[in-house]
Structure formats: C-alpha cells, structure tokens
Amino acid sequence: MHSLRPRPGTGPLGGPLVHLDLVGSTNDHARELALAGAPHGTVVAAERQTAGRGRQGRTWSAPAGRALTLSALVRLPAAAFEPLPLAVPIAVAEACEAVSPVKCRIKWPNDVWVEGLKVSGVLIEARPQDGWAVIGIGLNVDTALDELADDLRQTASSLRIASGAPVDREAALDELLARLAVWIARLGDPGRVVEAFRERDVLQGRRIAWSSGQVRQEGEARGIDDDGALVVFTDAGERVRLDAGEVHLVRPAGARG
Ligand code: BT5
C-alpha cells in the first residue's frame, strides 16, 4: 500500500492537509479541529477509518490505500450553507472525470454514480450558527472489485473498476481539492450550482420510492427545485417536495449481477 504523500503548506482550499494513517472518522477529527479553531480549508485525509460514517447511522467502508476518505473544514457565510450539499457532489463528479474516462451522475442528494453504481458518498455536517461545515467525502478511486466489501459488490463501483484501468490516488486528491475550491467559490451563485446539479441528476424522470413516516410511497422524480429539494409527482398526481432523506430507484439502472 502506498500512503498519500505529505503535502506541506496550504492546499487548494487554503488550509493545511492533515494526513493520518488511522482514524475513527475523518469527519469527527475535522469537527474537533473546527472546534479548536482550525482555519478554513483544513483537510483531514486518512488511509483507514475504523468508524467511517454514512448518513443516518450507516457505515462507510473502504480498503486502505485504494480510496480517498477525507473531510474538509470550510468556514462560510450564512447564505452558502444551502447550496453546499448540491455543490460538493458536482465537484466530486468533475474530479472523477478529470482523472479517469468515466461519466458521473449524481443521485440526489449526495451520491456520485457511474453507470448506475455508487463510487462516492458525501456526508456534510454543518453548523451554520457557528459558520462552519465539515464536508466528508468517500471516493472509491483505485479499488478493485474483490476489494469492495461483499455487501457492496452489487451496488458500488470505483473509478478503476468502471474505467478498467488503475487510477492515481494522488491525482484524484489534487483534482478533488481543486474542484472543491472552485465550487465553494461559486456558492454565492446558487442558480449556477442548481443548474450544474440538474445536468447530472440521475433521478430526473425516473420512478422512485421513498418513505414518509411508516408509509412507502412511489412517484416520478421531476428534478430539484431552486432550493435543492427533490420534486416528485405521486401516482395520484400530487406534487411532493423532499428536503432530505432517502430515495430509491424503483428499477435500478445497470445494477451489477
Ligand atoms: C454516504 O452515506 O454515502 C456518505 C459517506 C461519507 C463517507 C465519508 S469517508 C470520509 C468521511 N468520514 C466519515 O466518517 N464519513 C465521510 P449514505 O448515503 O448513508 O450511504 C451509506 C451507504 O453506502 C452504506 O450503507 C453502504 O450501503 C454504502 N457504502 C458504504 N461504503 C461504500 C463504498 N466504499 N462505496 C460505495 N458504497 C458504500
């Protein structure tokens, strides 16, 4: 396994890169740094996480030395928090396309997919009242199929698997931080963020299912509105806005198997 090389000084986001071999969760570490006053743009990258987290108590797993698991601390003006969750997966998608010949789409709200399979997940933990957010990104860069956890082989992919060729993690890290810097600078123009998200929206026009309380609902996704909520039309013709949470494609595109 090759560790990422140390990068002294400040990175593209304007803060230092803290590189750890082992950590519980990079998001937790970045949050501690935030509370201790770390500057905007501080990035925590880890080779291995023992408690990598997804949303709602789910787990993120990645083999050491093959993926990127990192968290970036950003200190932002109040208006930037709303477009942030849309902007981050756009940055991830662009970085992936810059380092490998793949085409990325985004599954609202936070997954980056290649050919119907998840290559990246984003976990943003924001404290708008204190003016900061931790952006957690897991990206399967150079992971081989047999290195993915057993339970992920039907749903996940990596840039290496999708392109059929090794992908350089250093290059992916550099691109990821550079594209994040670009899209963070664009948070003051939420219309542009929404437009770029719509171009990659995998759910647009697709049949999806979601849960509302205990009730499972189905409908057709009609894209995101200007606030980033997913607009769905139920079979009864009712227009519903989903602000957050989990939606599933009723017939997944290209699931392996
Ligand atoms: C996410 O959650 O997709 C957000 C994942 C964020 C992970 C990063 S890693 C660096 C930082 N530090 C952390 O502790 N977390 C962040 P969610 O939408 O809840 O999806 C979680 C689900 O994705 C799991 O239940 C699995 O089904 C699947 N999954 C787990 N590991 C995966 C992987 N490596 N590739 C693709 N899918 C994965």
Side-chain angles (χ1 to χ4, degrees):
M1 168 188 117
H2 297 286
S3 289
L4 294 167
R5 76 182 146 74
R7 286 170 173 71
T10 55
L13 283 176
L17 176 73
V18 179
H19 184 240
L20 304 171
D21 181 44
L22 183 67
V23 72
S25 155
T26 56
N27 264 38
D28 294 343
H29 195 89
R31 187 183 61 230
E32 283 162 24
L33 294 181
L35 294 171
H40 171 88
T42 300
V43 176
V44 179
E47 296 298 329
R48 290 177 294 159
Q49 297 187 113
T50 54
R53 290 189 283 112
R55 295 172 305 146
Q56 297 159 10
R58 289 186 287 257
T59 304
W60 187 261
S61 66
R66 297 297 209 180
L68 290 176
T69 45
L70 60 84
S71 301
L73 165 65
V74 287
R75 298 188 183 275
L76 300 170
F81 285 87
E82 189 168 284
L84 181 66
L86 301 178
V88 174
I90 299 168
V92 175
E94 289 184 354
C96 292
E97 291 174 359
V99 295
S100 71
V102 296
K103 178 74 190 127
C104 293
R105 306 193 69 195
I106 302 171
K107 182 196 165 242
W108 182 92
N110 71 330
D111 290 356
V112 178
W113 282 14
V114 175
E115 292 162 11
L117 299 167
K118 180 165 174 171
V119 298
S120 175
V122 174
L123 175 66
I124 297 179
E125 294 177 310
R127 266 217 214 169
Q129 68 275 25
D130 296 324
W132 58 263
V134 168
I135 301 168
I137 299 171
L139 172 58
N140 302 326
V141 179
D142 203 32
T143 314
L145 187 56
D146 63 2
E147 292 171 323
L148 284 172
D150 288 350
D151 60 334
L152 297 178
R153 289 188 193 162
Q154 302 296 317
T155 56
S157 186
S158 72
L159 301 182
R160 180 192 184 111
I161 297 167
S163 68
V167 180
D168 183 32
R169 265 189 336 143
E170 301 282 352
L173 175 61
D174 289 340
E175 279 296 335
L176 183 57
L177 298 181
R179 299 316 300 172
L180 268 180
V182 166
W183 281 98
I184 285 165
R186 291 177 180 164
L187 292 173
D189 184 359
R192 182 168 187 181
V193 177
V194 168
E195 196 183 320
F197 190 99
R198 285 181 179 140
E199 285 169 10
R200 294 182 182 274
D201 180 1
V202 87
L203 299 180
Q204 170 69 46
R206 306 286 297 274
R207 192 156 182 82
I208 63 165
W210 70 98
S211 293
S212 161
Q214 298 298 321
V215 185
R216 183 180 189 274
Q217 304 223 44
E218 282 195 20
E220 186 185 309
R222 298 276 180 88
I224 59 164
D225 67 13
D226 289 346
D227 299 326
L230 185 68
V231 177
V232 189
F233 277 77
T234 66
D235 295 340
E238 188 194 356
R239 182 182 189 275
V240 180
R241 282 178 84 249
L242 302 176
D243 280 322
E246 204 53 24
V247 299
H248 302 281
L249 275 175
V250 172
R251 276 181 289 279
R256 192 179 283 127

